[in-house]
Amino acid sequence: MVFELSDQASQGFRNASSYDTHRPSYPPEIVDALLARLQVKGVPNARIVDLGAGTGKFTELLAVREEKYDVVAVEPHEEMRKALSAKNLSAVDVVQGCANDMPVKSQSADAVVAAQVGSSQYIIAVVLEVMVSGISLVNEGTSPLFASKSLDADGTRFATDDALEEIYRILAPGGSFGMIWNVEDYNAPASWEPTSKWEATMKEIMWSYDDQRPRFRHDLWRNVFDKQLSSTPFTIQAADPLFSLPLGTSSVRFMHWLHPDAIWQRFQSLSQISVLKGDELAGVEDKVFAAMSASSAEANEKGELPLHGHVVYTWTTAVPGAPIKEGG
């Protein structure tokens, strides 16, 4: 099956260098915690697949670990992949691929991670979409389990059955799958209260350009988990289980001091904003800088403003014994 990035993904991430410069990385302690949940912390030479690796924000953190991981960075976007390859990271194999077609041998990965950088936000969106739209449950004395149904999601145009089965296929028995997001206050779910007025204004702008493609901020996946946890044996349907539920989830607040110019570059790197042009983009820029200027009293002596948000991560484990397809 052929993977096609949406026009928004292709255009929004075409400037890989700018994206790599202005998008955030992840705190080492959070990476440590996620890898522990994925059961690869302290495991020498564990094989980790970084799915939708983008320009390598998360890949770089894996490459410098003392475990000396064997990393496969899978990325469909050509410019992103070139930027990552140019970094020449140790023990990192950069390959072209996508969630439903990875050039990775069956049952060879100890963990798969999708971090919200580059095209992986589309891959994460597909996983969340299938949890919302295609979930079915089974209860046989164990935790509820999920399986998917086929649909197009977020412009990626591949069947989510294939995507989840492909992730499952490459995982070793009992291997783990994790997802991690940097969630700035201005890009958070509608119910989350922004810390400052200027971040609230930026959040209003972000939501005004919402394209209805499933992202973390839509918060639909939480509703699914709540429903599953309240299910009874009489409401659960049979399915072919792939991954255990409920997913483990955790989040940590962050605050970074950034110059307004850096905040704008970071905001502009988001796909919904990066596709804007001309007067429309200029209008958004004017609104963002006006909001930040009105909050100048919050700035430090360098003129930097405090940017707030959460790092959110989630994890699950492949259910042993589920059928897998051949490939890789």
Side-chain angles (χ1 to χ4, degrees), residues 194-258:
T195 305
S196 66
K197 290 184 178 179
W198 67 269
E199 288 168 311
T201 299
M202 290 178 67
K203 184 176 182 179
E204 291 175 0
I205 295 171
M206 176 61 66
W207 276 95
S208 73
Y209 283 96
D210 186 58
D211 53 17
Q212 301 302 312
R213 293 187 172 107
R215 290 179 174 85
F216 179 88
R217 68 171 177 265
H218 294 96
D219 215 17
L220 298 175
W221 61 293
R222 295 183 185 276
N223 298 337
V224 174
F225 298 149
D226 290 343
K227 180 179 179 180
Q228 292 162 22
L229 292 174
S230 63
S231 296
T232 71
F234 300 102
T235 64
I236 295 174
Q237 303 174 9
D240 291 327
L242 295 178
F243 295 94
S244 61
L245 281 181
L247 298 186
T249 60
S250 186
S251 67
V252 178
R253 287 281 294 172
F254 69 75
M255 189 276 284
H256 301 314
W257 288 99
L258 291 176

Side-chain angles (χ1 to χ4, degrees), residues 51-85:
L51 177 55
T55 59
K57 290 289 188 179
F58 196 82
T59 319
E60 291 175 291
L61 302 178
L62 295 175
V64 299
R65 299 274 306 186
E66 62 182 9
E67 292 93 342
K68 298 186 182 302
Y69 293 133
D70 174 18
V71 180
V72 181
V74 179
E75 172 55 41
H77 195 288
E78 183 178 2
E79 294 305 315
M80 292 280 184
R81 200 167 56 250
K82 287 180 178 178
L84 174 51
S85 296

